[in-house]
Amino acid sequence: MAANDQNDDGHDTSNLPDLGDAIDIVTFSQILEMDDSEDDREFSKSIVFGFFEQAEETFEKMDTALEARNLDELYRLGHFLKGSSATLGLTKVKDSCEKIQRYGKKENLDGTPELDEALCLSRITETLKTVKAEYADVEQTLKNFFNST
């Protein structure tokens, strides 16, 4: 077995395609291990496609909360989507959602308080554009993985 076929946790990732740097292959492989068969991937596919629906609904709610300038709701939604994306190993989406969560909590990225709500909203506006693009990329990558474009 090649040296890079297993990670430090002993999870074999040798039979998986390169999914790029936006997806943590070790975390994603743990979801795939729950499938009964590598041929149909019914279980993991249902989890991933359920996430797609959840993410799109959450983005709509974020847009509404942003229009309403509701930082508390943006904090909550960022936190929610951060957890869901982390479960699948969607690292870039998770990291951007963490930024939205911090800005919604009126914090800078280092956790220090940011009292300027307009600045926080501006940062969320930019980060929301970024996370939607990151999401679109991983959505396409995962749809290709599951042969469901």
Side-chain angles (χ1 to χ4, degrees), residues 28-142:
F28 187 65
S29 71
Q30 292 171 350
I31 300 294
L32 298 177
E33 287 174 6
M34 293 186 237
D35 285 320
D36 290 333
S37 165
E38 288 186 20
D39 295 330
D40 74 12
R41 301 245 181 242
E42 183 179 333
F43 181 76
S44 61
K45 184 176 180 179
S46 70
I47 289 175
V48 169
F49 280 70
F51 170 78
F52 293 159
E53 290 178 27
Q54 184 183 71
E56 296 197 17
E57 289 173 10
T58 303
F59 287 142
E60 287 178 20
K61 291 176 182 177
M62 285 179 166
D63 289 337
T64 300
L66 191 56
E67 286 176 28
R69 304 174 63 86
N70 186 340
L71 288 171
D72 288 338
E73 180 70 355
L74 288 159
Y75 161 78
R76 190 186 69 72
L77 293 167
H79 178 75
F80 172 75
L81 196 55
K82 178 184 80 171
S84 300
S85 55
T87 299
L88 295 178
L90 309 182
T91 53
K92 288 185 177 182
V93 172
K94 173 191 66 81
D95 291 346
S96 290
C97 288
E98 183 172 358
K99 290 178 183 179
I100 291 171
Q101 179 183 344
R102 284 202 179 271
Y103 299 146
K105 197 175 177 182
K106 294 188 261 183
E107 291 181 349
N108 294 299
L109 293 181
D110 64 3
T112 59
E114 176 53 66
L115 301 178
D116 186 343
E117 288 190 13
L119 179 59
C120 292
L121 289 164
S122 172
R123 288 174 173 172
I124 290 172
T125 300
E126 291 308 308
T127 306
L128 189 53
K129 289 176 191 172
T130 300
V131 74
K132 286 179 179 181
E134 292 164 344
Y135 166 76
D137 289 345
V138 295
E139 178 186 34
Q140 190 59 56
T141 299
L142 292 174

Side-chain angles (χ1 to χ4, degrees), residues 1-16 24-27 29-30 33:
M1 186 181 301
N4 64 351
D5 288 351
Q6 283 194 337
N7 70 5
D8 294 337
D9 295 331
H11 289 92
D12 184 7
T13 59
S14 61
N15 60 340
L16 296 176
D24 176 54
I25 195 66
V26 174
T27 303
S29 71
Q30 292 171 350
E33 287 174 6

